[in-house]
């Protein structure tokens, strides 16, 4: 029975293959592959972050009544410390979302660090 070993590898996206092949034989393929892999990872990371932010926005919209109830019931006023906001979001919205990162991305804090 044959044995197989699994190795990680990177392959350029199909759309990029014509451009890669057109570069010719004088190309340092290992260097180009490493560069493409890095660019692909960065693009994937950015796309994942964007999707996570969209999921968080949808979760806030879904839980908006519960969030308002919490704010009113606890008489929290118009401003709230960022860490308290993060704790509130974790307690009221399911999932392990990066609320601190979301607040930074969306520019929710003022000069004093309040929301």
């Amino acid at each position: 029975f044959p044995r197989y070993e699994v190795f990680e590898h990177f392959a350029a996206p199909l759309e990029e293959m014509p451009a890669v092949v057109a570069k010719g034989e004088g190309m340092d393929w290992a260097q180009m592959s490493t560069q493409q892999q890095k660019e692909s990872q960065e693009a994937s990371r950015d796309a994942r972050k964007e999707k996570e932010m969209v999921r968080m926005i949808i979760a806030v919209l879904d839980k908006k009544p519960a969030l308002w109830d919490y704010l009113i019931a606890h008489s929290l006023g118009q401003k709230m410390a960022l860490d308290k906001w993060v704790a509130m979001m974790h307690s009221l919205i399911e999932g392990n979302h990066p609320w601190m990162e979301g607040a930074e991305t969306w520019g929710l804090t003022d000069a004093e660090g309040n929301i």
Side-chain angles (χ1 to χ4, degrees), residues 92-104:
L92 295 176
I93 297 179
E94 298 87 20
N96 191 19
H97 300 293
W99 293 108
M100 186 72 74
E101 184 179 338
E104 292 171 8

Side-chain angles (χ1 to χ4, degrees), residues 8 11-12 14-15 24-26 33 42 44-45 57 60-61 66 68-69 74-75 88 97-98 101 110-111 113 115:
E8 286 188 31
L14 189 57
E15 302 83 37
E25 293 183 28
S33 175
E42 291 170 4
S44 294
R45 183 176 47 248
I57 291 169
V60 167
L61 293 174
W68 276 115
D69 287 344
H74 291 86
S75 301
M88 177 186 74
H97 300 293
E101 184 179 338
D110 61 12
I115 292 182

Side-chain angles (χ1 to χ4, degrees), residues 9 20 23 26 48 51 57 67 75 77 81 84 95 103 113:
H9 70 282
V20 169
K23 291 185 178 182
R48 267 193 308 274
K51 286 180 184 178
I57 291 169
L67 292 168
S75 301
K84 289 184 179 183

Side-chain angles (χ1 to χ4, degrees), residues 5-70:
E5 292 186 42
V6 177
F7 294 98
E8 286 188 31
H9 70 282
F10 172 78
L14 189 57
E15 302 83 37
E16 294 179 19
M17 289 305 291
V20 169
V21 174
K23 291 185 178 182
E25 293 183 28
M27 193 69 197
D28 181 4
W29 295 105
Q31 180 184 7
M32 187 171 73
S33 175
T34 303
Q35 180 65 26
Q36 282 186 327
Q37 182 177 11
K38 185 184 293 185
E39 291 170 1
S40 178
Q41 286 174 343
E42 291 170 4
S44 294
R45 183 176 47 248
D46 292 344
R48 267 193 308 274
K49 180 181 176 184
E50 183 66 29
K51 286 180 184 178
E52 180 68 23
M53 294 296 138
V54 168
R55 281 193 295 269
M56 291 166 65
I57 291 169
I58 292 169
V60 167
L61 293 174
D62 285 344
K63 295 291 183 174
K64 187 176 177 181
L67 292 168
W68 276 115
D69 287 344
Y70 183 89

